[in-house]
């Protein structure tokens, strides 16, 4: 796969990112002050239970929504300050996006191969269209309309559309949810190949097998990043206000939700306060 266009510094960077949804019944805080960076040439996996904010986070990191507060930079563009036209051009030319509902990203009136040709032309590259279909196991379905494809095949088509034309950033929300193990492996292999070619790749997943194939695993809980795991170690996250996000297994050690912080020459120690009789 050819190398993709990259930017200096992180492909995606956000600080104190907040997303609030307002309705007649009140407000829902989907994201509560997230700070992270996504770099070119690596695949990051976002995991967490339903309602943890995964889809809200991926939608914004894919420049498809604006934050309620905080700073978000995607491929050098300030998402909060950019115009609607600028964001539309950025998405069309440089970002591959796979929504949870794959039918939302496919063109129902075009054959699979023609869909990829169209998207590749937007990204300035008409090469490797067939390769993108082959990568997700759909080369033999190139001449079919989406209506003739199964749900899993449409999901793989959505991934191929996201990857064709060497986008700089690929964001995929549960891209293997409807796939068996063999086809899920095909999709993850294709996403890893895009990262190896220089793209920044960010996906969400509930599949434990897939979670650990990325370079980083970010776990979300209640709209914040609770921990980050790499090949070296797992770290807890401290947000911009100084709140420490402990993994659930560690949090269970502090049932009072209070902790004594002791700073010594050899480091920092957390311990539960003594229970008064």
């Amino acid at each position: 796969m050819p190398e993709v266009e990259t930017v200096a510094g992180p492909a995606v960077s956000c600080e104190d990112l907040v997303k609030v949804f307002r309705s007649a019944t009140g407000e829902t805080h989907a994201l509560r002050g997230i700070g992270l960076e996504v770099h070119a040439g690596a695949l990051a996996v976002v995991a967490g239970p339903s309602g943890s904010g995964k889809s809200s986070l991926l939608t914004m990191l894919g420049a498809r929504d604006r934050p309620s507060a905080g700073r978000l930079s995607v491929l050098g563009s300030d998402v909060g300050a950019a115009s609607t036209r600028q964001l539309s051009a950025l998405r069309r030319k440089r970002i591959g996006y796979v929504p949870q509902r794959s039918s939302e990203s496919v063109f129902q009136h075009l054959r699979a191969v023609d869909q990829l040709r169209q998207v590749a032309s937007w990204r300035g590259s008409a090469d490797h269209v067939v390769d993108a279909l082959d990568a997700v196991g759909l080369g033999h379905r190139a001449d079919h309309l989406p209506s003739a494809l199964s749900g899993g095949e449409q999901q793989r088509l959505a991934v191929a559309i996201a990857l064709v034309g060497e986008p700089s950033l690929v964001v995929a929300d549960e891209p293997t949810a409807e796939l068996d193990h063999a086809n899920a492996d095909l999709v993850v292999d294709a996403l890893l190949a895009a990262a190896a070619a220089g793209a920044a790749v960010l996906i969400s997943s509930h599949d434990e097998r897939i979670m650990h194939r990325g370079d980083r695993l970010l776990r979300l809980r209640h709209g914040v990043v609770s921990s980050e795991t790499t090949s070296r170690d797992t770290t807890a996250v401290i947000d911009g206000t100084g709140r420490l996000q402990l993994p659930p297994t560690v949090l269970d050690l502090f049932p009072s939700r209070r902790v004594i912080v002791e700073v010594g020459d050899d480091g920092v120690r957390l311990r539960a306060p003594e229970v008064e009789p």
Side-chain angles (χ1 to χ4, degrees):
M1 182 178 287
E3 293 187 0
V4 301
E5 180 183 354
T6 59
V7 296
V12 176
S13 175
C14 61
E15 183 177 350
D16 296 329
L17 196 67
V18 174
K19 184 61 182 179
V20 180
F21 294 101
R22 295 178 173 84
S23 66
T25 58
E27 295 183 346
T28 300
H29 288 71
L31 301 175
R32 302 171 181 267
I34 286 181
L36 61 85
E37 294 180 347
V38 180
H39 293 268
L43 186 147
V45 181
V46 177
S50 297
S52 61
K54 298 190 302 298
S55 292
S56 296
L57 178 61
L58 266 63
T59 299
M60 281 198 290
L61 299 190
R64 301 175 73 86
D65 195 7
R66 301 178 192 269
S68 302
R71 182 188 60 82
L72 172 60
S73 174
V74 176
L75 299 176
S77 295
D78 184 335
V79 172
S83 68
T84 300
R85 178 174 293 181
Q86 287 171 328
L87 290 182
S88 178
L90 178 67
R91 291 193 300 268
R92 175 171 287 201
K93 295 178 180 178
R94 301 189 64 195
I95 300 175
Y97 186 80
V98 183
Q100 270 195 359
R101 295 192 180 103
S102 54
S103 60
E104 294 177 356
S105 65
V106 301
F107 308 103
Q108 297 297 329
H109 63 290
L110 290 178
R111 298 180 306 159
V113 67
D114 293 329
Q115 299 197 38
L116 269 67
R117 286 173 179 151
Q118 177 65 71
V119 174
S121 70
W122 293 339
R123 294 176 182 157
S125 172
D127 299 328
H128 309 292
V129 168
V130 176
D131 291 343
L133 282 173
D134 287 338
V136 296
L138 284 180
H140 66 296
R141 307 287 272 170
D143 292 329
H144 288 70
L145 292 171
S147 58
L149 302 179
S150 68
E153 287 173 332
Q154 288 194 42
Q155 188 165 51
R156 285 185 281 152
L157 175 58
V159 172
I161 291 171
L163 294 177
V164 75
E166 292 82 49
S168 302
L169 171 65
V170 179
V171 179
D173 194 355
E174 298 280 359
T176 63
E178 298 184 42
L179 306 180
D180 59 26
H181 284 176
N183 284 316
D185 286 340
L186 276 179
V187 164
V188 176
D189 287 344
L191 292 166
L192 286 168
V201 182
L202 184 71
I203 71 174
S204 67
S205 179
H206 282 101
D207 189 333
E208 288 288 343
R209 296 182 321 111
I210 290 171
M211 288 181 193
H212 300 289
R213 292 194 63 189
D215 301 285
R216 299 164 65 200
L217 173 61
L218 303 166
R219 291 192 181 272
L220 261 63
R221 187 173 76 247
H222 304 308
V224 298
V225 178
S226 61
S227 67
E228 178 177 345
T229 301
T230 66
S231 58
R232 292 190 300 256
D233 49 35
T234 297
T235 59
V237 176
I238 302 174
D239 66 18
T241 64
R243 293 175 296 187
L244 176 62
Q245 305 297 328
L246 296 176
T249 53
V250 177
L251 187 61
D252 290 342
L253 301 176
F254 302 96
S256 69
R257 296 299 186 263
R258 298 293 185 272
V259 61
I260 294 174
V261 181
E262 298 175 334
V263 181
D265 294 337
D266 58 346
V268 179
R269 179 172 177 245
L270 305 180
R271 66 179 177 87
E274 296 181 6
V275 180
E276 296 184 1

